[in-house]
Structures are given as C-alpha cells and as structure tokens.
Amino acid sequence: MGQEKLLEVKGLSKYFSMKKGLFSKSNARLRAVHNVSFSVFEGETFAIVGESGCGKSTTRKLLLRLLEPDEGEVFYRDQNIFELNEKSMRELRQKLQVVFQDPYASLDPKWKVGSIIEEPIRIHKIGTPGERRKKVLELMSLVGLRPEYYDRFPHEFSGGQRQRIGIARALALNPELIIADEPVSALDVSTQAQILNMFKKLQGEFGLTYIFISHDLRVVKYISDRVAVMYLGEIVELATTKDLFEDAKHPYTKALMQSIPVVDPTKRKELKLLEGEVPSAINPPHGCCFNPRCDQAQEICKQEVPVTVEVTRGHQVRCHLFI
C-alpha cells in the first residue's frame, strides 16, 4: 500500500430538504452524510461498509462532485475539488472513475460494446477513431472480453460480462482512483469471485487505488486494506481490515460481524441479528445515533454525541465506551 495521500475528506456533510407531508408547506431536513472524515492512500483499497441507507452512495456522489456538500472539503492531491472551475474539474474527472452496482442499468442498451467503452475517450477528444478502436480492443482483452464482442449489445451478455464492460469503460482514461459502488452485489457468488480477483489483478498491474462501497462484509474482508463502517450518515469505526475483523470495537460493527453467515457446517454459529429498524435520517436520535439499537447503551449515549477517538494506531471509533 502506498503511503502518499491521494484523497482526504474533512468534515463532509450533506442534507436534503424533504416535504413533511403531501399538503405541508414546511420542509424537513434529511441527514444523508454527517461530518465524515477519512483519507485514502495511493495503491490501497479503502472500503466503506454499512446497511442500506447509511449514506454510502451519497458519499460516492460527493467524492465525484456529482453533489455539492453543505459542509466539509474533499482534497485530491491537496486540491479542494469543490473550489475547482469547470475546466479543472473536467480534467480531474479523467483521474476519478466509477463502476456502478447494476451492470445493465449503467450501460446504454442502444449502444454497442465498443461505443460504450470508447465513450469517455471520445468525450475527452483523445486520439483518432482508429487509435480509439485499438485502445478499446486492448481494454476488452484486459478484462477478459473477446474482440468479436465489440459490435454486440449489452443485452447479449451475462451480468458478469456486463460488469467487465463497465470496468473496461472505467479504465479507458487511465484513472488513478476508481470508486466501485456495490460492483458485485447483483452477481452470483462464483461470478463475484471472478470480478473481485480481476479488481485485484488490475490494481497490481496499474497501481490503481480503489474506494470500494459495499454492504457485504465478506466481500470487504477479501478486497480491502482498510474499512470505514458507516451508520446513519456517520463513520462509527475505521481500521485496517485485519484489526476490524479481529478486534471490532463499536457495538454496531460487532453486530454486523455476528450476522455474517458461516458456510462451513462444522463451524456453524447461531446468527445474532441486529434488532430494530435504522432510525429516520430526518429525525435522528439524540446523542449517539446507534443508541436505540445498542445493547450496551448508557444514559450518556442518549444525551451526548460521542467524539471519534483513536483506540490504537489507525483504529478509530466513535463510541462513549472508549472515551
């Protein structure tokens, strides 16, 4: 893992205005992302994990500047991306690419594979038509797609093959950072393994940096170097993958770990499912956002918002139990 900081996020927050009711004139404020901070280093895979609705995908949109934040900053190689003009942001987008969750919805069904992969190169006016075609065929080979697929349409492929098309498109501009948002959740288990191994292979070949967004802890354990655990828009724990899976600190992280199914029947355990619903992001709980579902909650947890503390080097947790 490289030690040079590629991306730094400081106090990032995003809120959305919501109508309180069909006939109401007043708005409520939905807290999608709240005071999120982390760094990503060159050559690593940094994972963001949590339940649906925890703010993972909103964070992705903020990092790509598809949304403007209400608070906070995002620095890419020491440049605040929210201060860049349109021209500079366009240049930066060549270095930041994304692989989406649904490999079919993210591909234009009316376009052939060659055109889909070529699109980013064409938009940025790189090379001649002949040079772009050659580049596309090289990318297809790189992700395990045959040359004869060039003139086929997305509906002619399996889910795994469509995701390979999406990955080839993400690689077209020689990016430094790829944000993969649930890239294997729509695939069967065997295909998941193939795609994850390909991500690792490409990282080794090109020195890529990944931000890997997922709800699946087994996937995160396999692919990532460090993990941030999100709950209700906040990062509640951040550690190396090894530390997190060997010694999780936050009660929410522990609950996620205990809910992972074990495949080996000789090592079966009784699954301990996390009780209760995720609180409303429009009306989050007072104090610690996890306190209504926490079996270790104390009175202070209902009154005061915990601060983030570093319990061991590189292992951060936001919980009153460690303050």
Side-chain angles (χ1 to χ4, degrees):
M1 182 178 72
Q3 292 305 305
E4 186 173 340
K5 196 178 290 183
L6 187 66
L7 187 83
E8 186 170 18
V9 179
K10 294 182 177 181
L12 199 60
S13 296
K14 181 65 183 178
Y15 310 96
F16 296 101
S17 293
M18 309 281 289
K19 284 287 185 185
K20 284 188 174 179
L22 185 61
F23 302 104
S24 173
K25 293 183 179 180
S26 61
N27 288 337
R29 193 170 77 153
L30 184 147
R31 189 182 80 174
V33 174
H34 179 67
N35 195 25
V36 164
S37 299
F38 60 86
S39 298
V40 180
F41 296 93
E42 277 192 351
E44 79 167 330
T45 299
F46 181 88
I48 301 174
V49 68
E51 295 171 283
S52 296
C54 73
K56 304 186 299 293
S57 292
T58 302
T59 301
R60 184 255 297 173
K61 291 176 183 177
L62 289 165
L63 298 181
L64 293 167
R65 202 179 171 183
L66 300 176
L67 292 172
E68 296 291 321
D70 291 293
E71 299 167 8
E73 301 166 307
V74 174
F75 293 90
Y76 188 87
R77 294 200 182 279
D78 298 324
Q79 279 189 308
N80 187 347
I81 69 168
F82 299 117
E83 294 178 352
L84 296 178
N85 59 30
E86 187 176 341
K87 180 177 181 293
S88 298
M89 194 64 215
R90 184 183 178 89
E91 292 172 357
L92 179 62
R93 289 196 193 283
Q94 295 187 47
K95 300 175 183 177
L96 306 174
Q97 292 296 306
V98 61
V99 175
F100 297 97
Q101 175 178 0
D102 188 335
Y104 189 66
S106 63
L107 305 177
D108 191 322
K110 300 186 294 295
W111 284 23
K112 294 178 181 179
V113 166
S115 298
I116 289 171
I117 299 173
E118 184 192 348
E119 184 185 18
I121 316 172
R122 189 175 60 251
I123 287 173
H124 287 273
K125 300 176 181 178
I126 299 170
T128 64
E131 289 169 340
R132 292 198 293 265
R133 180 182 174 90
K134 182 182 176 183
K135 173 76 171 177
V136 169
L137 289 169
E138 289 172 354
L139 289 166
M140 290 175 63
S141 174
L142 194 64
V143 299
L145 295 171
R146 297 175 184 172
E148 56 265 33
Y149 294 168
Y150 188 95
D151 289 315
R152 295 188 185 178
F153 292 95
H155 73 267
E156 299 180 67
F157 297 92
S158 67
Q161 288 173 320
R162 288 196 287 258
Q163 196 59 288
R164 289 173 189 269
I165 296 167
I167 293 168
R169 180 178 58 186
L171 292 170
L173 295 172
N174 301 315
E176 295 178 328
L177 173 65
I178 291 178
I179 301 177
D181 191 350
E182 300 274 12
V184 297
S185 64
L187 308 175
D188 62 66
V189 175
S190 62
T191 308
Q192 282 185 9
Q194 293 172 18
I195 298 298
L196 291 174
N197 286 333
M198 187 172 66
F199 270 113
K200 284 193 167 190
K201 178 175 176 285
L202 293 170
Q203 185 174 44
E205 285 187 30
F206 299 104
L208 294 168
T209 303
Y210 296 137
I211 295 177
F212 206 92
I213 297 170
S214 180
H215 69 278
D216 191 330
L217 280 168
R218 291 171 297 180
V219 168
V220 164
K221 184 178 182 180
Y222 180 72
I223 195 74
S224 66
D225 299 298
R226 290 189 301 135
V227 184
V229 181
M230 285 193 78
Y231 184 79
L232 208 63
E234 299 181 358
I235 290 180
V236 296
E237 188 162 4
L238 193 159
T240 65
T241 306
K242 182 176 184 293
D243 285 351
L244 193 80
F245 280 85
E246 289 182 358
D247 190 21
K249 301 293 186 185
H250 198 281
Y252 175 61
T253 310
K254 290 180 178 179
L256 288 181
M257 299 288 186
Q258 291 170 340
S259 66
I260 302 174
V262 177
V263 177
D264 188 345
T266 65
K267 298 179 180 177
R268 287 279 165 86
K269 62 181 180 181
E270 184 178 345
L271 293 183
K272 185 177 178 181
L273 301 178
L274 190 57
E275 295 182 0
E277 296 292 326
V278 178
S280 169
I282 296 176
N283 186 27
H286 291 291
C288 172
C289 60
F290 186 60
N291 86 76
R293 304 173 75 190
C294 181
D295 58 7
Q296 299 181 61
Q298 306 167 23
E299 193 57 36
I300 191 173
C301 302
K302 302 173 185 177
Q303 306 295 332
E304 296 182 20
V305 176
V307 296
T308 300
V309 295
E310 190 170 51
V311 288
T312 57
R313 186 177 179 182
H315 194 150
Q316 302 172 5
V317 61
R318 182 179 291 188
C319 178
H320 284 296
L321 296 173
F322 299 93
I323 298 174

